[in-house]
Amino acid sequence: MTTALSFYPASDLNITPFIPAVDRNFADDVISGLALPQKQLHAKYFYDQQGSDFFDQICQLEEYYPYQTELNLLPKVASDLANTFPTDCTIVEFGAGSLIKIKPLLSAMPGIRQFIPIDISGIHLELACQQLQSDYPDLTVKPVVGDFCFPVELPALHNQQKIGFFPGSTIGNFCPAQAASFLENARCTLGPDSHLLIGVDTKKSPYYLHRAYNDANGITAKFNRNILSRINRELGANFVPENFEHYAFYNAGQGRVEMHLVSTAEHVVDVFGTAVSFAAGESIHTENSYKYTPDEFCQLATSAGWHVEQTWLAEKDLFATYLLRNHN
Ligand SMILES: C[S@@+](CC[C@H](N)C(=O)[O-])C[C@H]1O[C@@H](n2cnc3c(N)ncnc32)[C@H](O)[C@@H]1O
């Protein structure tokens, strides 16, 4: 075990032992994921403060088409929805990040009174909320730091119309069965007669997909390797991130882009006191980004109890936004 996480019997040292504040769920997930035959880490662990900053840099890349394509589509979506939601509504955004994509909605939909952004990356969310609140002083902003893989408790709401918002094709990080569970849970969280506005990346030529996840400046590679640096920082592991190469490709059979970190040599890493061996060329699977045709996504949403009310397709069908409704 590394020094940062060592502790000694109090009687030997005559002091109260220092037990570092390790996130037990994070530690357990990392150890169990690295024990699998295909080593894996959950994509949600990309997003500490550093990871969120890298993601913001990815969004500025010309190659990463989903971000700008969706952002360009949202003003049209918002103006179409302005009459559907005329007064007093609350937007609950899942995986809200830097709070950029809510702005076209706020600009075109004056009925939005309250905004509840949910994100796992706490400091990043807090900073983004401060900025949003100063840009929109009349909006009530109630951030929730939490993991939307589990039921999320929302702050008390007045009897307002609730609209979930889930942009960025973050739904693609779930496998289809998990995506269906997420959609079912979101229906419970948002309640009867709610809506969900969701951005989903489409199936397209692997040419676009390969460029999007293998940018020339290596920012996506830095984002990918940061998960190892984060494990070092928070769990006292001794990964050398440079010993792992970024590898991303479109798996057509599964309909997903896979991201991996490939060990360049045989070596052993100490992770929170557990020795994890890597063969040369062995990978850690760090992310899936599933892509859906509109038919596939509508089927998925319907299977989770949502009714698809409206679909907007971006230029060249590069991205889709759907308005779902919960009739229950
Ligand atoms: C792909 S980024 C999208 C960010 C933003 N919504 C956009 O469209 O640009 C995913 C966002 O979801 C957050 N996130 C990922 N997994 C999460 C989880 N399990 N619970 C809550 N937030 C999560 C990340 O911190 C990040 O801000």
Side-chain angles (χ1 to χ4, degrees):
M1 187 175 282
T2 54
T3 319
L5 291 177
S6 297
F7 56 89
Y8 305 91
S11 54
D12 289 2
L13 298 174
N14 202 23
I15 54 169
T16 307
F18 167 68
I19 301 176
V22 165
D23 179 338
R24 213 46 253 193
N25 292 337
F26 180 31
D28 290 349
D29 285 354
V30 167
I31 301 282
S32 60
L34 294 178
L36 293 170
Q38 167 60 71
K39 293 180 170 65
Q40 56 181 260
L41 293 169
H42 199 298
K44 67 186 174 187
Y45 293 124
F46 280 131
Y47 298 97
D48 63 349
Q49 176 63 34
Q50 178 68 74
S52 296
D53 287 345
F54 279 134
F55 183 74
D56 282 352
Q57 292 176 39
I58 289 173
C59 292
Q60 299 311 312
L61 296 168
E62 182 268 321
E63 293 103 319
Y64 192 69
Y65 68 87
Y67 178 77
Q68 198 58 46
T69 308
E70 184 181 36
L71 202 54
N72 292 344
L73 189 59
L74 283 172
K76 161 79 178 137
V77 171
S79 80
D80 288 353
L81 293 182
N83 291 332
T84 313
F85 303 105
T87 51
D88 249 12
C89 52
T90 293
I91 300 257
V92 179
E93 182 172 352
F94 298 92
S98 293
L99 309 185
I100 302 299
K101 289 181 181 157
I102 189 64
K103 292 184 180 176
L105 306 194
L106 293 173
S107 300
M109 298 169 67
I112 301 171
R113 298 270 188 270
Q114 190 163 225
F115 177 49
I116 303 179
I118 303 169
D119 207 285
I120 202 165
S121 189
I123 297 169
H124 196 78
L125 180 65
E126 196 182 315
L127 294 174
C129 283
Q130 285 170 12
Q131 183 60 50
L132 189 82
Q133 189 70 85
S134 74
D135 293 345
Y136 297 85
D138 295 336
L139 181 72
T140 302
V141 182
K142 294 187 175 178
V144 175
V145 178
D147 181 347
F148 57 52
C149 296
F150 301 99
V152 177
E153 198 177 323
L154 298 182
L157 298 172
H158 323 291
N159 254 346
Q160 287 180 334
Q161 168 90 51
K162 263 175 275 160
I163 311 168
F165 183 39
F166 196 24
S169 204
T170 306
I171 186 106
N173 295 152
F174 293 121
C175 72
Q178 292 167 334
S181 304
F182 171 86
L183 290 171
E184 280 170 26
N185 290 338
R187 233 162 31 83
C188 297
T189 304
L190 296 168
D193 209 27
S194 55
H195 288 77
L196 178 64
L197 186 66
I198 180 165
V200 184
D201 201 7
T202 52
K203 286 202 164 122
K204 57 184 60 68
S205 156
Y207 167 78
Y208 284 101
L209 297 170
H210 186 268
R211 286 182 82 236
Y213 294 83
N214 291 283
D215 65 278
N217 290 328
I219 307 293
T220 314
K222 286 186 183 167
F223 171 76
N224 197 4
R225 284 197 194 96
N226 176 59
I227 201 166
L228 303 181
S229 308
R230 178 182 182 186
I231 293 169
N232 286 347
R233 283 191 293 270
E234 294 184 27
L235 303 182
N238 64 355
F239 278 106
V240 178
E242 294 69 31
N243 288 348
F244 291 83
E245 280 173 349
H246 167 73
Y247 179 47
F249 63 95
Y250 182 58
N251 179 334
Q254 297 288 336
R256 69 190 188 202
V257 172
E258 293 185 16
M259 247 172 32
H260 292 251
L261 286 164
V262 181
S263 172
T264 53
E266 184 179 328
H267 70 299
V268 177
V269 177
D270 181 329
V271 184
F272 199 40
T274 299
V276 181
S277 304
F278 288 88
E282 185 178 4
S283 83
I284 310 173
H285 187 173
T286 50
E287 189 187 68
N288 287 320
S289 294
Y290 280 83
K291 312 297 171 185
Y292 292 93
T293 65
D295 280 352
E296 286 170 341
F297 184 73
C298 290
Q299 224 171 339
L300 180 75
T302 307
S303 76
W306 290 94
H307 171 73
V308 182
E309 280 204 331
Q310 214 168 332
T311 300
W312 295 263
L313 281 170
E315 210 187 330
K316 298 188 200 158
D317 295 354
L318 282 180
F319 199 89
T321 297
Y322 304 88
L323 180 69
L324 312 180
R325 182 167 191 175
N326 177 18
H327 282 299
N328 295 328

